[in-house]
Amino acid sequence: MRHITTFAGLPVVQFEPGVVDRLDAKGTPRSAVAWRIETDYEADEEAFRTVLDRCLDVVGGESVQALVVGQWGEAYDTPPPLHLLIAARLRLPHLRALFLGEMTSEECEISWINHTDVAPLLAAFPGLEVLRIRGADGLQLSPVRHMRLRELAVESGGLSAGVVRGIADSHLPALTDLELWLGVSQYGGDVSVEDLAPVFSGTGVPRLRRLALRNAEIADQVAAALAGAPVVPRLETLDLSLGILSDQGAEALLLGQPLTHLRRLDLSHHFISAELADRLRAELPGVDVDLSDEQEEDDGERYTAVSE
C-alpha cells in the first residue's frame, strides 16, 4: 500500500518547509491541494500539535479544504489526537474532506492502526463532506446526525460490527458513497449479513449511489443478501472487490434482482471461474463489470487482498 497522490479530487501535498512558497510561485491556490501532515512514528501528542499549528499558520487554515493525516506517533498503540483537530475547528472553516490514518504498511500495518470514537469529530465539523479512515482497531462511531457528509469510508483488515451498527443508527441524509472494508475475523472482523441489514434496506441512506463492501471474507454471503436488497435498484455502483467472492456469490448476483441499471460492478480480486465470469459479462452487457485480478486458492484457502 502506497501513499495516496490525490484525495477528494485534489492533489496531495506534504506540508514541509518551503512548500507554500513553491506553490505560490507556481500560482497554485493553497486551497487547490489536499494538505498532508504527519509526525515521526515516535513523536508525542505535543509534536502533532506543533505540526498542525505550523501548517495552519503557514498555509492559512481558511485555505485548507482537504486534510490528510498520516502518522501521529505510535499509531499501533495510540489513537489519533482528534481533540486537537476539534480544538482547531474555528481555524478550519472550509474543511470539507478529512483522511485519518493515511499510512503505508511499512509505517503501520492497517490492522494495527488505533482509532477511537469519531462521532465527536463529525459533530465538530458540520460542513465535512468526505471522511476516510484507514485502520479500525478500537474504532467506534456513536450514532450521529450529520447533514452534509457525502462520502464515508473505512479501510480495515477487520471491521467490528459495532461500527456498522453505529453507521446504521446515524442520520446521514446526504450520504451518496459508503465504503466499508469488512476484513477477516482474525483481525477483528465480526460483521455479519444481519448487521448490514439496515444498510441493505436503504432506509437510513436515501441518496446512496455507491455501496462498496470490500475486502470481505463473507463476500459470498454479502452477494446473496444483495440479490434481493431494496437498496440495490437505486445504486449506480456496487463494489464487492478485494474479497473472496466465488462462483457461489456470482451465481447469487445473477439469479437475484436485475443489475442492468448499474453503471459499474466491481468484483476485482475474486475467485470466480471463467465460466461464471463470462456469464456476468454476457448478462450485464451495459454494465462496466470489473473482473480483473483473478485469484487462485492456496491449498484450498482463499484470502482477502488486505488482512494484517
Side-chain angles (χ1 to χ4, degrees):
M1 190 174 291
R2 300 177 180 177
H3 285 304
I4 59 173
T5 57
T6 62
F7 177 57
L10 301 173
V12 175
V13 172
Q14 177 78 35
F15 176 71
E16 59 188 9
V19 67
V20 172
D21 290 338
R22 291 195 293 272
L23 282 181
D24 290 347
K26 293 178 181 178
T28 302
R30 300 178 187 184
S31 60
V33 303
W35 290 98
R36 186 178 190 279
I37 60 172
E38 65 178 353
T39 65
D40 185 84
Y41 77 97
E42 293 183 330
D44 58 14
E45 182 179 298
E46 191 58 34
F48 184 85
R49 185 198 307 271
T50 299
V51 171
L52 176 61
D53 285 345
R54 181 65 174 161
C55 177
L56 299 185
D57 287 342
V58 176
V59 174
E62 69 282 354
S63 295
V64 178
Q65 295 197 52
L67 186 64
V68 177
V69 178
Q71 292 189 104
W72 52 78
E74 297 178 338
Y76 59 86
D77 191 47
T78 307
L82 298 187
H83 61 284
L84 296 182
L85 292 172
I86 292 171
R89 63 190 181 278
L90 296 181
R91 301 177 67 190
L92 290 162
H94 304 302
L95 185 66
R96 297 292 178 264
L98 177 63
F99 193 142
L100 293 173
E102 202 282 303
M103 306 176 209
T104 66
S105 58
E106 288 77 15
E107 292 168 332
C108 191
E109 296 286 1
I110 191 170
S111 64
W112 300 358
I113 302 175
N114 264 248
H115 284 283
T116 184
D117 192 351
V118 295
L121 183 76
L122 286 169
F125 290 94
L128 199 67
E129 297 177 359
V130 178
L131 176 61
R132 191 171 194 92
I133 300 167
R134 180 171 293 164
D137 189 9
L139 180 66
Q140 300 175 51
L141 177 56
S142 298
V144 66
R145 181 182 180 89
H146 199 287
M147 307 305 291
R148 297 286 297 277
L149 194 67
R150 294 186 294 103
E151 299 179 19
L152 174 61
V154 180
E155 304 175 6
S156 83
L159 188 64
S160 77
V163 174
V164 173
R165 288 194 290 267
I167 294 171
D169 291 339
S170 294
H171 183 62
L172 305 170
L175 197 70
T176 60
D177 190 318
L178 177 61
E179 178 177 335
L180 303 175
W181 295 24
L182 304 183
V184 301
S185 58
Q186 182 180 355
Y187 291 102
D190 61 0
V191 177
S192 68
V193 168
E194 289 73 25
D195 295 315
L196 292 165
V199 176
F200 293 154
S201 74
T203 54
V205 282
R207 296 187 181 181
L208 196 67
R209 295 297 177 266
R210 176 177 179 263
L211 177 60
L213 300 172
R214 311 179 72 193
N215 199 49
E217 67 178 355
I218 61 167
D220 284 339
Q221 297 96 306
V222 168
L226 285 167
V231 73
V232 171
R234 74 176 67 149
L235 298 178
E236 296 176 355
T237 297
L238 178 60
D239 186 341
L240 302 179
S241 64
L242 305 183
I244 62 171
L245 191 71
S246 71
D247 282 5
Q248 179 184 345
E251 187 78 34
L253 291 174
L254 288 171
L255 294 177
Q257 61 187 311
L259 299 176
T260 51
H261 67 286
L262 292 174
R263 292 183 179 179
R264 179 171 172 80
L265 176 62
D266 191 343
L267 306 178
S268 56
H269 188 281
H270 63 87
F271 294 80
I272 300 171
S273 67
E275 178 184 356
L276 261 293
D278 288 343
R279 281 185 57 195
L280 283 163
R281 296 187 186 97
E283 296 186 27
L284 300 172
V287 181
D288 177 13
V289 181
D290 188 344
L291 287 159
S292 61
D293 198 15
E294 180 182 353
Q295 301 291 304
E296 294 184 0
E297 292 186 355
D298 184 0
D299 291 331
E301 298 292 332
R302 289 180 278 150
Y303 297 98
T304 60
V306 178
S307 53
E308 185 179 14

